[in-house]
Amino acid sequence: MSKEYTEFEDYPNVDNHLDEDDRTKSATIRWVRVANSTDQALKVKKFIDVAKRQEVQGYQMGAQVAIPIPGLPIDIGAKVKRPSVPLVHNKNSDKDADPTTDDLGPYTCEKILVNGDTDENSKLITLQISKEGDTEPFWNKSVKHKHGVIIIPDPSNTGKLTVIPAAGQFMQSNRWKPHPGCKDPRLSKTYDPKKKSV
């Protein structure tokens, strides 16, 4: 493909105004959507980019009360001290003991879910997409939470696959359309298997 779409933050959803995020839930779930417009079964390995503070700050508090009674000095005091606690830096990577992999069938569109980082509230999800049976991914990039990508046959390299940003995620038709920022004239207007125009 003449232009590889590497910075997916440059492609915001065109239907973002339809987002119905429920901020009352206590669990933090992050997601991206992956549309497979090919006839091949694929594997999607997913990671959340986690950034945590290296240390939780400690504190020290104290209180003292003196009760003046003639001939009997009473002095009551208390101190509470919490030392600083180091945190382990934990950035998920492909060296994790059990990275999660989802199957993605031909001509399907799936929402890929990961547990969110509640400490630093990361919104980037790293995806490694590979053909079924391959050990190495053909695509390894980070995608913003609530955004999507479309896997298509590479128009400039027969037999290869490439990934492009989707137009949006909140209207079903936008999940299969290339983002308006994708200017390659060889791209179809839609990759929806039901409406595909070649």
Side-chain angles (χ1 to χ4, degrees), residues 64-168:
Q64 193 156 352
V65 177
I67 303 173
I69 299 177
L72 193 63
I74 298 177
D75 196 13
I76 301 171
K79 282 188 180 179
V80 177
K81 183 177 180 180
R82 178 179 171 203
S84 59
V85 179
L87 292 177
V88 177
H89 182 72
N90 181 21
K91 175 158 174 60
N92 284 343
S93 69
D94 54 2
K95 293 178 177 63
D96 285 346
D98 188 23
T100 309
T101 303
D102 289 2
D103 294 321
L104 187 63
Y107 307 112
T108 58
C109 184
E110 297 288 335
K111 189 184 260 191
I112 307 295
L113 303 171
V114 293
N115 288 328
D117 169 27
T118 57
D119 190 28
E120 298 296 330
N121 204 21
S122 176
K123 297 205 190 284
L124 290 178
I125 299 167
T126 301
L127 300 177
Q128 292 180 351
I129 304 173
S130 58
K131 294 179 183 178
E132 193 169 83
D134 287 358
T135 56
E136 292 296 316
F138 66 85
W139 195 77
N140 182 5
K141 300 250 189 287
S142 292
V143 180
K144 239 173 137 177
H145 168 55
K146 296 185 182 179
H147 285 68
V149 295
I150 309 168
I151 303 163
I152 64 170
D154 191 333
S156 62
N157 196 344
T158 308
K160 299 266 184 178
L161 301 179
T162 192
V163 180
I164 60 172

Side-chain angles (χ1 to χ4, degrees), residues 31-49:
W31 61 267
V32 295
R33 197 170 266 122
V34 180
N36 180 5
S37 72
T38 72
D39 61 355
Q40 300 185 38
L42 303 171
K43 299 276 187 190
V44 180
K45 197 182 285 189
K46 58 194 178 182
F47 310 94
I48 187 86
D49 288 344

Side-chain angles (χ1 to χ4, degrees), residues 14-71:
V14 296
D15 55 4
N16 208 27
H17 62 284
L18 299 173
D19 182 11
E20 295 178 3
D21 192 11
D22 185 2
R23 299 188 192 280
T24 62
K25 293 181 180 175
S26 60
T28 303
I29 300 293
R30 302 281 184 240
W31 61 267
V32 295
R33 197 170 266 122
V34 180
N36 180 5
S37 72
T38 72
D39 61 355
Q40 300 185 38
L42 303 171
K43 299 276 187 190
V44 180
K45 197 182 285 189
K46 58 194 178 182
F47 310 94
I48 187 86
D49 288 344
V50 179
K52 293 188 177 181
R53 293 185 300 266
Q54 292 295 318
E55 187 173 77
V56 175
Q57 188 173 349
Y59 60 86
Q60 183 173 346
M61 293 187 328
Q64 193 156 352
V65 177
I67 303 173
I69 299 177

